[in-house]
Amino acid sequence: MRVEDYPIDWERLHALRRRGFTIGYHCNALHLCDYDERGVYEAFDRDIELLAEKGFEIGFFSAH
């Protein structure tokens, strides 16, 4: 399955967080693993790790 890559303005997200916004994760892990339930947790964890590497501690998420 091909997932479209799109740019993320990390600095803008950081600026919003500094202004008091809560940053959450709209989870699309099931889509990322082509609806194969065995890969959902790995896809979710990869996204959370990426967000942590970018300086975001995710405390909230919503499923796709």
Side-chain angles (χ1 to χ4, degrees), residues 18 31 64:
R18 286 190 297 269
H31 177 78
H64 207 296

Side-chain angles (χ1 to χ4, degrees), residues 4-42:
E4 185 176 335
D5 193 21
Y6 55 90
I8 297 174
D9 189 341
W10 298 108
E11 185 49 46
R12 181 160 174 85
L13 290 175
H14 281 291
L16 290 168
R17 188 180 64 179
R18 286 190 297 269
R19 291 179 51 201
F21 284 75
T22 298
I23 305 296
Y25 168 50
H26 186 154
C27 175
N28 64 345
L30 194 57
H31 177 78
L32 290 173
C33 63
D34 200 21
Y35 299 92
D36 179 354
E37 293 179 22
R38 294 170 294 190
V40 170
Y41 297 107
E42 290 85 6

